[in-house]
Amino acid sequence: MDNNDKKDPKHQRRIRYKGTHPKSFTEKYKELQPDKYRETVEKVISKGNTPAGMHRSICVKEILEFLQIKPGQRGLDATLGYGGHTLEMLRCLNSKGHLFALDVDPIELPRTRERLASMGYGPEILSIRQMNFSDIDLVALESGPLDFVLADLGVSSMQIDNPERGFSFKSEGPLDLRLNPEKGLSAAQRLRDMSQEELEGMFVENSDEPHAEVIARAIIAAKRKGVKISSTTVLKQIIADALSFLPASTRNEEIKKSCQRCFQALRIDVNREFEVLYEFLEKLPEVLAPGGRVAILSFHSGEDRLVKKSFQHFFREGIYSEIAPGPIKPSAEECSTNSRARSAKLRWAIKASE
């Protein structure tokens, strides 16, 4: 820690929240206890934000209208997360049929399983597996042909809001970014091993970062000076310093956007998100029943492009009988009450009947 960090009052507050004053931490994050602080939670939602530790499902109405789930059907939520979409699909099944749900996150999955079980949705109607949705073909061996499939490709609010996961540059935490922190390399490890050319390519390909070259060069320079880029705030500071040449009038906003894009690019890289999605899309037609429906909610132009091209390819091949003519966006009302819905795009496809 240098002298500047010691004098920075924001830094002092951040350290204090790590546990020196647990009461202050509890009071600051009342929404983590929705039953105790219901008014606080409602106030956060009314401002268009998502309460810490919660996740608000997006495009629920549009997804259910398309999937047309009927009691007795078999389906899959390929990305369980908080279980919001799962819960709505279970209600449609009305205790008849079966729903499978997947997630790679060993931290959030047990919590969601417990939450849904407390509502009466146990293994007789819901099978939850800790596995990647790229292994959808293995699920089909157990489930048989699926009548409906949903994949919400967004990172859950619980993951973003947990500083220990390192998904956000807004909080001090380890630079991890893994959806499953028990497997693979963390973002800090990836940065340690990547060259300037690899970094620049990653920032451009995964997030269209306009300052990719400058930021990549700054990261390499920091590594050569012996800086350990192992926390979210260290990387944020490197990005901020690299962009200090920007006009003062727009500098803070541009730095914020670059931090968002760079952290996104790292998350996509660490979790192989494009590769995993491609595998999932390739296997989808084989696991859907004739007339089966699939809906995919994406939050990144690269993801949406992969989904669009895959659906168009299989439509031309006659494997899908119908596909969404274009992306479906959340309503203006939903975007005004949930800011995280603004970048969402929903696409769907229907498998041809045999």
Side-chain angles (χ1 to χ4, degrees):
M1 180 186 301
D2 60 28
N3 291 331
N4 290 333
D5 286 338
K6 291 180 180 178
K7 295 177 182 178
D8 183 358
K10 292 183 180 179
H11 184 78
Q12 292 298 317
R13 286 199 297 274
R14 185 169 62 243
I15 294 297
R16 189 164 68 240
Y17 290 149
K18 281 189 172 181
T20 308
H21 297 279
K23 182 178 179 181
S24 298
F25 184 90
T26 301
E27 289 301 309
K28 181 175 176 62
Y29 296 105
K30 289 180 179 180
E31 65 262 35
L32 286 169
Q33 306 175 66
D35 294 332
K36 187 176 180 181
Y37 297 105
R38 188 173 301 278
E39 288 185 7
T40 300
V41 169
E42 291 174 353
K43 186 180 295 184
V44 171
I45 292 175
S46 70
K47 293 181 179 179
N49 298 319
T50 298
M54 294 180 65
H55 182 81
R56 299 168 65 194
S57 299
I58 295 169
C59 284
V60 174
K61 177 176 176 289
E62 292 84 351
I63 288 169
L64 295 181
E65 283 181 351
F66 166 70
L67 291 180
Q68 299 181 13
I69 299 170
K70 299 176 179 61
Q73 289 187 326
R74 287 171 294 184
L76 170 71
D77 187 338
T79 48
L80 174 63
Y82 191 76
H85 287 122
T86 305
L87 179 60
E88 297 301 327
M89 292 189 285
L90 285 166
R91 287 170 175 163
C92 292
L93 287 176
N94 195 25
S95 300
K96 301 179 182 67
H98 204 84
L99 184 66
F100 291 79
L102 314 179
D103 207 299
V104 298
D105 192 331
I107 298 172
E108 294 299 334
L109 185 146
R111 298 172 183 170
T112 300
R113 177 187 280 119
E114 182 178 351
R115 189 183 307 114
L116 291 171
S118 70
M119 298 178 187
Y121 298 108
E124 71 285 347
I125 186 71
L126 174 65
S127 296
I128 296 177
R129 304 282 184 265
Q130 186 187 334
M131 58 191 298
N132 199 295
F133 71 170
S134 63
D135 292 325
I136 189 174
D137 52 326
L138 301 182
V139 178
L141 294 176
E142 178 182 359
S143 67
L146 296 164
D147 298 301
F148 61 91
V149 172
L150 169 66
D152 177 351
L153 306 181
V155 177
S156 73
S157 299
M158 304 91 64
Q159 293 163 330
I160 294 172
D161 293 334
N162 184 351
E164 296 178 5
R165 305 298 297 272
F167 281 96
S168 174
F169 63 90
K170 297 178 182 179
S171 304
E172 167 74 28
L175 191 62
D176 196 306
L177 290 155
R178 286 174 293 179
L179 297 172
N180 182 354
E182 298 173 353
K183 291 185 177 181
L185 298 176
S186 69
Q189 291 171 307
R190 284 291 290 146
L191 284 182
R192 183 191 63 197
D193 298 333
M194 296 176 80
S195 67
Q196 180 175 328
E197 292 74 18
E198 289 172 321
L199 284 167
E200 184 178 347
M202 176 186 68
F203 291 142
V204 171
E205 183 176 342
N206 290 359
S207 62
D208 298 319
E209 171 54 50
H211 305 295
E213 182 180 356
V214 174
I215 294 171
R217 188 165 60 243
I219 290 172
I220 294 300
K223 290 199 296 181
R224 286 173 179 164
K225 292 177 182 177
V227 176
K228 292 185 178 179
I229 312 175
S230 57
S231 74
T232 54
T233 49
V234 170
L235 178 58
K236 175 185 176 181
Q237 191 59 54
I238 291 173
I239 296 171
D241 290 344
L243 302 182
S244 61
F245 67 89
L246 293 172
S249 60
T250 60
R251 186 183 304 145
N252 289 341
E253 186 62 24
E254 285 299 309
I255 287 173
K256 176 184 174 181
K257 290 179 179 178
S258 284
C259 284
Q260 290 173 332
R261 287 188 290 259
C262 289
F263 272 68
Q264 178 189 63
L266 267 172
R267 191 202 75 221
I268 290 171
D269 175 86
V270 165
N271 296 291
R272 298 180 56 252
E273 292 181 25
F274 289 156
E275 294 90 339
V276 166
L277 176 58
Y278 179 80
E279 292 178 41
F280 171 75
L281 292 167
E282 286 293 293
K283 295 175 180 178
L284 255 178
E286 297 301 318
V287 305
L288 285 171
R293 294 172 173 242
V294 56
I296 300 181
L297 193 62
S298 65
F299 296 80
H300 181 276
S301 58
E303 293 172 338
D304 179 61
R305 193 158 46 244
L306 280 174
V307 175
K308 174 184 176 181
K309 289 183 177 180
S310 175
F311 282 2
Q312 289 177 339
H313 168 72
F314 288 120
F315 177 70
R316 288 193 296 267
E317 295 289 316
I319 295 173
Y320 290 144
S321 61
E322 191 176 350
I323 61 175
I328 299 168
K329 298 282 291 179
S331 67
E333 180 182 2
E334 180 170 11
C335 290
S336 68
T337 58
N338 184 0
S339 60
R340 291 177 178 172
R342 292 170 187 162
S343 60
K345 292 181 180 179
L346 175 66
R347 292 186 185 272
W348 53 258
I350 302 174
K351 186 175 179 181
S353 300
E354 296 178 353

